Amino acid sequence: MGMSNFKEGSDSEDFGIDYAPAVESTSLLNIKEKYGLFINGDFLDTSSSKFFKTLDPSTEKPLAEITEASAADVDKAVKAARNAYEKYWMNMSGAVRARYLFRIARHLQERSREFAVLETLDGGKPIKESRDVDLPLAAAHFFYHAGWADKLEYAFPQRKIEPHGVVGQIIPWNFPLLMASWKLAPALACGNTVVLKPAETTPLTALLLAEVIQDVDLPPGVINIVTGAGETGSALVEHPNVDKLAFTGSTEVGKLIQRSAVKRNLPLTLELGGKAPHVIFEDAALDQAIEGVINGIFFNQGHVCCAGSRLLVQESIAEHFIDRLQKRIDLLRVGNPLDKNTDIGAINSKSQLERIDKLVNAVIEEGAEVYKPSCSLPENGYWYPPTVLTGVQQSHRVAREEIFGPVLVVQTFRTPEEALEKANNTPYGLSAGIWTEKGSLIHWMAERMRAGVIWANTFNKFDPTSPFGGYKESGFGREGGMHGLAPYLKTKRKRK
Ligand code: NDP
């Protein structure tokens, strides 16, 4: 790294013991060499397909060849979804639709170890996260929405409700199965059929979900999965026979999609980037706040749209807090994502690693101080150590742009008013965190912060009953809870 202002971390808390490796076995996986598109209840023949490879980002070894769906393939998927909508799904009662969702949820639970291992292998996230967060939450979303399927009229009293029809859904690579569940479960519960496009670097758990869809006997065409890159996503967005779009990903692509949807007056929900302020007041319970900050930025290598990536710490405790934070970071274990002791896994792709590196190097040149622990990183694969940047100015790119990596940007404040002003000084508005023992201060801040989700004395708590979504450039529309059903329905006032 060789920067003059680079401070090496120390192994200060050496207890003289080390963890024995505890690597999760991959023997229960049955990854195919090649995957066809999942359309109309079946994997299509691959004899004339174009393929791309999906890699294990911790080793750079290819895992499988994945079909790159063309515009004609997307058209086939949309036709299958339309046919399934008209033939089966729109005529089924909510109670029957619910049964399918319950079945998917139970199958996810039964095969959760297999899904978790595959998610970690394809995406690079630590197994303890895919096992304890992604999988339980994915199943919970299907259970929760199964419960709504036959009660929608109670969610929207005095309203006539109708599904949109065929929904196009595009998801990112940071929570592949979980984002698929966030999107599929409410769409199906509300009576829509779906064409889903997973991210290029993480298609495998969506394709395993296709097997579950077959096992639960979901009518063919209700869920179709088209793999591919941005062009496949674009073909889905532009398709004239899609009735609603839902997208999670970068603000840049979200804006492109919005432009296209507006022209056709197409209903759209966008869940985009974030630059969440994580505000620590001087009276906060510091041990808990340190853990909250660590979880807020290093969970899933910081590949999290609602990550607490901007630490705002009150000046009176800043030095002490940052010192303790750095000591805690020294203890984080970076390495094999399949090891159950790993805290920080691999960066999802080479291009994401390059993006993180570029943003951090630029701010070091501009005079910020960087702290990284002296951990050794594996030779192959894509890795970035947990990093803390201090001396950051609001004008620096890292203070404004989403880094989407394990990099925490630190700024200080003196008064609640200053904390609020700095917290809201961002084009994004997805999430925020507040740590203080004073309830009135929590309320004062929460009422004035412009963020869709605000956590107080905790961070990264998710539940399917709780709506999630943003303000400003973080998008619009909510996912989860009753609010998350609304985008999947047309509602009209009932005539008396
Ligand atoms: P993208 O927004 O490009 O990817 C999200 C999804 O959209 C993927 O399935 C992608 O396909 C697809 N897509 C890409 N281009 C188009 C298009 N023109 N029309 C329709 N669909 C499209 O995010 P990236 O993966 O490129 O990540 C770039 C940055 O975005 C990250 O560094 C991070 O800052 C941010 N990001 C934010 C996320 C969030 O949840 N807020 C999630 C992911 C990224 P494909 O995978 O093939 O590119």
Side-chain angles (χ1 to χ4, degrees):
M1 298 177 186
M3 308 287 168
S4 59
N5 46 0
F6 174 75
K7 280 197 285 183
E8 283 265 303
S10 65
D11 294 326
S12 52
E13 301 274 353
D14 184 359
F15 298 110
I17 48 171
D18 205 359
Y19 291 81
V23 181
E24 180 70 68
S25 162
T26 55
S27 63
L28 78 174
L29 295 183
N30 181 16
I31 303 176
K32 294 178 203 153
E33 229 170 89
K34 286 183 176 163
Y35 284 87
L37 304 171
F38 184 70
I39 296 180
N40 209 24
D42 255 322
F43 286 95
L44 298 194
D45 177 62
T46 56
S47 49
S48 58
S49 303
K50 253 174 89 181
F51 293 103
F52 63 92
K53 286 193 174 71
T54 185
L55 306 177
D56 170 354
S58 72
T59 59
E60 297 171 66
K61 286 198 184 126
L63 294 169
E65 289 198 83
I66 310 292
T67 301
E68 189 180 323
S70 63
D73 294 324
V74 170
D75 183 51
K76 216 181 265 176
V78 173
K79 282 197 175 116
R82 173 72 56 203
N83 186 46
Y85 179 69
E86 287 169 3
K87 199 161 158 198
Y88 313 108
W89 211 234
M90 70 183 272
N91 302 316
M92 247 177 218
S93 70
V96 178
R97 286 202 310 273
R99 271 186 231 156
Y100 288 106
L101 293 179
F102 277 125
R103 274 191 219 158
I104 294 175
R106 284 197 297 269
H107 278 243
L108 282 178
Q109 286 184 320
E110 277 163 23
R111 297 177 70 173
S112 83
R113 191 158 153 248
E114 186 184 354
F115 270 101
V117 173
L118 190 62
E119 195 73 305
T120 284
L121 207 59
D122 200 22
K125 66 173 65 193
I127 185 72
K128 69 176 176 191
E129 292 179 9
S130 40
R131 181 194 62 194
D132 299 344
V133 181
D134 296 64
L135 259 295
L137 273 176
H141 272 267
F142 279 103
F143 277 122
Y144 174 74
H145 287 97
W148 271 122
D150 60 350
K151 302 174 195 69
L152 295 171
E153 59 189 288
Y154 302 107
F156 302 94
Q158 307 303 326
R159 301 243 141 198
K160 189 171 173 307
I161 50 171
E162 242 180 81
H164 289 289
V166 176
V167 179
Q169 303 184 321
I170 298 173
I171 53 170
W173 41 262
N174 50 350
F175 295 89
L177 182 74
L178 186 57
M179 287 304 107
S181 309
W182 277 31
K183 296 236 169 334
L184 293 171
L188 263 55
C190 292
N192 303 278
T193 57
V194 175
V195 179
L196 175 83
K197 203 222 50 96
E200 186 183 2
T201 58
T202 54
L204 288 182
T205 45
L207 293 164
L208 187 58
L209 182 66
E211 284 181 25
V212 165
I213 291 164
Q214 288 181 320
D215 291 345
V216 305
D217 281 332
L218 191 73
V222 170
I223 297 177
N224 305 276
I225 300 174
V226 288
T227 43
E231 274 175 33
T232 305
S234 177
L236 182 57
V237 168
E238 299 298 333
H239 198 287
N241 244 328
V242 167
D243 303 309
K244 184 223 155 29
L245 290 168
F247 172 79
T248 297
S250 63
T251 297
E252 193 189 344
V253 174
K255 283 181 181 173
L256 287 178
I257 294 178
Q258 188 174 12
R259 250 175 243 139
S260 164
V262 160
K263 276 190 226 147
R264 291 174 289 150
N265 206 12
L266 209 58
L268 171 70
T269 32
L270 292 178
E271 202 266 88
L272 309 175
K275 192 75 191 173
H278 207 161
V279 185
I280 317 294
F281 286 99
E282 60 189 1
D283 68 334
L286 293 190
D287 286 336
Q288 284 94 324
I290 298 264
E291 291 310 308
V293 169
I294 293 277
N295 169 281
I297 186 63
F298 300 123
F299 174 58
N300 197 24
Q301 296 75 246
H303 300 330
V304 184
C305 46
C306 56
S309 51
R310 278 189 301 146
L311 177 67
L312 297 175
V313 56
Q314 198 152 13
E315 204 176 88
S316 48
I317 57 160
E319 204 175 311
H320 176 64
F321 192 85
I322 293 162
D323 185 52
R324 284 178 63 176
L325 189 66
Q326 290 175 347
K327 289 205 170 83
R328 178 68 183 86
I329 288 168
D330 290 346
L331 300 176
L332 293 175
R333 300 172 62 84
V334 186
N336 186 355
L338 281 168
D339 192 314
K340 290 165 209 159
N341 296 318
T342 292
D343 298 306
I344 300 185
I347 298 301
N348 182 264
S349 65
K350 189 162 179 236
S351 65
Q352 190 59 27
L353 180 59
E354 286 166 358
R355 182 181 154 82
I356 299 168
D357 222 18
K358 197 167 144 198
L359 280 168
V360 173
N361 288 341
V363 78
I364 295 172
E365 270 167 33
E366 288 168 333
E369 272 207 5
V370 60
Y371 180 85
K372 302 182 194 203
S374 58
C375 55
S376 58
L377 300 175
E379 254 174 44
N380 296 321
Y382 314 129
W383 305 96
Y384 205 85
T387 299
V388 178
L389 298 171
T390 49
V392 174
Q393 309 295 321
Q394 187 58 30
S395 56
H396 291 151
R397 276 179 72 192
V398 291
R400 290 175 288 120
E401 286 180 34
E402 193 176 39
I403 303 174
F404 227 60
V407 182
L408 182 66
V409 172
V410 184
Q411 292 175 293
T412 59
F413 67 88
R414 289 185 183 166
T415 61
E417 288 77 10
E418 191 187 344
L420 183 68
E421 198 182 316
K422 286 189 165 156
N424 282 340
N425 189 2
T426 166
Y428 295 112
L430 192 56
S431 65
I434 309 166
W435 292 79
T436 167
E437 293 294 270
K438 241 190 195 162
S440 58
L441 185 53
I442 291 174
H443 284 286
W444 189 86
M445 288 289 290
E447 276 165 18
R448 291 162 178 80
M449 278 172 137
R450 298 210 61 210
V453 182
I454 300 176
W455 288 291
N457 293 332
T458 186
F459 207 86
N460 273 341
K461 285 272 179 278
F462 302 98
D463 191 286
T465 62
S466 175
F468 183 92
Y471 281 82
K472 304 193 279 183
E473 297 217 353
S474 292
F476 47 78
R478 295 292 178 264
E479 296 186 287
M482 225 158 67
H483 298 75
L485 299 171
Y488 286 103
L489 290 165
K490 290 188 265 189
T491 59
K492 279 192 215 134
R493 194 176 288 277
K494 263 188 188 161
R495 291 187 184 204
K496 294 244 163 98

